[in-house]
Amino acid sequence: MAEEAGSGGGGWEEAVERGPGAAYHMFVLMEDVLEKLKLLSYEEEALRRHNMRPLSRHYFALPTNPGEQFFMFCTLAAWLITKAGHPFEQPQEYDDPNAIISKILSELRSFGRPVDFPPAKLKAGYGEQACYVLDCLAEEALKYTGFSWKRPVYPTEELEEKEITEDDAELTLNKLEEEVVEEESDNEENFIDLNVLKAQTYKSDMSDSAKQEEILESTTDAAEWNLEVERVLPQLKVTVRTDNKDWRIHVDQMHQHKDGIESALKETRGYLDKLHNEISRTLEKINSREKYVNNQLEHLVQEYRSAQALLSEAKEKYQEGSGGVTERIKVLSEITEILERVKQEMEEKGSSMTDGAPLVKIKQALTKLKQETVQMDIRIGVMEHTLLQSKLKEKSNMTRDMHATMIPESTVDAY
């Protein structure tokens, strides 16, 4: 895992060196791979055969489960290679990953695609290299199947007929309520004077009577009047839009839901009562059968309990005996170790006593000592002889000196 983490960190540094958006290139590449796999109908041909789930948009771009991702990568690569016209054996879960990766890369090189990354990058089963390999193989498979990209055909949009409506003609419930509240507040704030009101009513009655006298005979044509009415009618239409936040709508919905619940409850209550009665009957039957079985098997239950008690006693005795056995096994191991040591010592002593090598060495040493003593005796004799000669020489020299000193004295006396 440390190696994988190191390799992932190196890829991120390389992406940063290439550019700020290069780190997200594999996500775009993975989406292209998924679209090409869908064009090749990989779900029907590859996934259903191996009982696998469809891929997500960023399946090979992010690490989720390296083992599963590597097996999915090898399966899709083998399927794409066979789809591209090159026979390729489907890999298994327990195959050597290095051998599978080398086969896939050799097939990729045979298609003329460059491979400028180490094969170990594909062992994780995700990353930019895995997306690159799948993208190249998918392109080769599309080429082999004869697929070609075409120009997009955009649908023609039909222009909707505009309805002639004025903004002021559409009113909502909130605006109507606000206008009513404002009118009521204005009426409350204004003080009413009865005399002024009478004068106003008198003036309005006089003006209405004068207008009625003027409009006794109409000069307008009925057909023109109907045409004008039809022209102005859509503009005079007042549509009240329902607001979902209004409490009245909520109350209506509550009443509707209540009615629906009551109607459904009437139908389902009978089924629920029948189900309740059946469940209660089956429970009674089960209780009665349970009591009957307990009564019939009471002596067997007692025997079973006594057997369990005997088994527990035997287990306790076995545990006690096993404890003593373990202690004795420890003592036996210690004794065997001591015995092995004694045996080794005895073997060493016996081998030393029966072995003749020491005696041979002693004899050789004695002969060597004898030879050395003989040589020493010879040397001692030579030294004694040399000492004796030196002593004799000294003695002869002394006598000669003595004679030399005595001769001149005699000659002197003679003269």
Side-chain angles (χ1 to χ4, degrees):
M1 293 296 288
E3 294 177 358
E4 293 175 3
S7 63
W12 180 262
E13 290 176 359
E14 291 175 0
V16 171
E17 290 176 358
R18 285 183 288 169
Y24 305 98
H25 175 65
M26 58 182 172
F27 294 97
V28 180
L29 192 61
M30 178 60 207
E31 291 182 0
D32 293 341
V33 169
L34 189 60
E35 294 297 329
K36 292 172 184 177
L37 290 173
K38 287 179 180 178
L39 289 173
L40 292 167
S41 64
Y42 81 107
E43 294 180 354
E44 290 80 8
E45 296 183 11
L47 298 184
R48 288 184 182 177
R49 188 181 300 173
H50 300 281
N51 295 324
M52 293 180 176
R53 294 178 295 176
L55 302 180
S56 61
R57 291 176 59 195
H58 308 304
Y59 184 80
F60 290 111
L62 297 173
T64 55
N65 188 353
E68 180 183 351
Q69 285 177 317
F70 180 72
F71 182 67
M72 179 68 80
F73 167 75
C74 294
T75 303
L76 290 176
W79 176 73
L80 288 171
I81 291 168
T82 54
K83 195 81 174 172
H86 291 194
F88 194 86
E89 186 179 357
Q90 188 66 34
Q92 303 297 325
E93 290 186 6
Y94 300 103
D95 290 346
D96 187 11
N98 295 320
I100 297 170
I101 290 169
S102 64
K103 289 179 183 178
I104 292 169
L105 291 178
S106 64
E107 291 291 338
L108 188 64
R109 291 189 186 96
S110 67
F111 287 119
R113 298 284 183 164
V115 179
D116 55 353
F117 56 86
K121 293 279 187 179
L122 299 176
K123 271 191 179 180
Y126 66 91
E128 188 175 357
Q129 291 78 15
C131 296
Y132 168 74
V133 171
L134 290 176
D135 185 54
C136 294
L137 294 175
E139 285 183 0
E140 295 297 330
L142 287 171
K143 288 179 184 177
Y144 185 77
T145 53
F147 179 81
S148 61
W149 298 98
K150 298 179 181 179
R151 291 184 178 180
V153 178
Y154 299 101
T156 57
E157 297 180 358
E158 296 180 357
L159 298 173
E160 298 179 356
E161 295 181 356
K162 295 182 179 180
E163 295 180 356
I164 302 170
T165 55
E166 293 184 358
D167 296 333
D168 296 334
E170 294 181 357
L171 301 175
T172 58
L173 287 173
N174 293 327
K175 289 183 179 179
L176 287 173
E177 289 178 358
E178 290 176 359
E179 289 177 359
V180 170
V181 171
E182 288 178 358
E183 288 178 357
E184 289 178 356
S185 62
D186 292 334
N187 292 329
E188 289 177 359
E189 290 177 358
N190 295 327
F191 294 101
I192 299 170
D193 191 359
L194 292 176
N195 296 322
V196 175
L197 185 61
K198 286 180 181 179
Q200 288 179 355
T201 52
Y202 179 73
K203 287 180 181 179
S204 62
D205 291 336
M206 291 297 289
S207 63
D208 290 337
S209 62
K211 287 179 181 179
Q212 287 175 2
E213 289 177 355
E214 291 177 357
I215 311 173
L216 289 176
E217 293 179 358
S218 178
T219 58
T220 58
D221 190 6
E224 293 179 357
W225 181 264
N226 290 326
L227 290 172
E228 185 67 19
V229 169
E230 289 178 359
R231 188 181 67 81
V232 181
L233 184 61
Q235 297 181 5
L236 297 176
K237 186 178 179 181
V238 178
T239 57
V240 179
R241 292 183 180 178
T242 58
D243 190 6
N244 292 326
K245 295 181 180 179
D246 191 12
W247 62 272
R248 297 181 184 86
I249 296 171
H250 292 172
V251 171
D252 294 335
Q253 289 178 355
M254 289 169 64
H255 287 299
Q256 290 176 2
H257 291 313
K258 182 182 177 183
D259 296 334
I261 290 167
E262 288 178 353
S263 63
L265 183 62
K266 289 177 182 178
E267 296 177 358
T268 55
R269 182 170 289 175
Y271 297 109
L272 292 174
D273 292 336
K274 289 180 182 179
L275 185 62
H276 175 70
N277 294 327
E278 290 178 358
I279 291 170
S280 60
R281 289 173 188 172
T282 52
L283 286 173
E284 289 177 357
K285 288 180 182 179
I286 290 167
N287 290 325
S288 62
R289 293 291 176 84
E290 187 177 358
K291 289 178 182 178
Y292 176 74
V293 170
N294 289 330
N295 292 326
Q296 292 292 326
L297 301 176
E298 187 175 0
H299 63 284
L300 295 175
V301 172
Q302 290 178 358
E303 290 178 359
Y304 176 71
R305 288 175 181 172
S306 61
Q308 275 190 339
L310 293 172
L311 179 63
S312 63
E313 291 178 358
K315 284 182 178 179
E316 290 178 357
K317 289 180 181 179
Y318 173 74
Q319 288 178 357
E320 292 176 358
S322 64
V325 169
T326 52
E327 292 178 356
R328 288 179 178 82
I329 288 170
K330 289 181 181 178
V331 174
L332 179 62
S333 64
E334 293 176 356
I335 292 169
T336 51
E337 287 178 358
I338 295 168
L339 182 62
E340 290 292 332
R341 290 176 187 172
V342 172
K343 282 182 180 180
Q344 288 179 359
E345 291 177 358
M346 291 291 290
E347 287 178 356
E348 290 176 358
K349 288 181 180 179
S351 62
S352 63
M353 290 174 69
T354 56
D355 192 7
L359 292 173
V360 173
K361 289 180 181 179
I362 291 168
K363 287 180 181 180
Q364 291 177 356
L366 286 172
T367 55
K368 196 172 182 180
L369 285 171
K370 286 179 181 180
Q371 291 176 358
E372 289 178 356
T373 52
V374 169
Q375 290 178 0
M376 289 297 292
D377 290 336
I378 293 167
R379 289 179 181 177
I380 288 168
V382 171
M383 290 297 293
E384 287 178 353
H385 181 68
T386 52
L387 285 172
L388 182 61
Q389 283 183 353
S390 62
K391 284 180 181 180
L392 290 171
K393 281 183 180 182
E394 287 179 359
K395 194 172 182 181
S396 62
N397 291 327
M398 287 177 68
T399 55
R400 188 176 60 191
D401 293 335
M402 288 176 66
H403 287 295
T405 52
M406 289 177 66
I407 291 166
E409 289 179 358
S410 62
T411 55
V412 170
D413 294 333
Y415 288 107

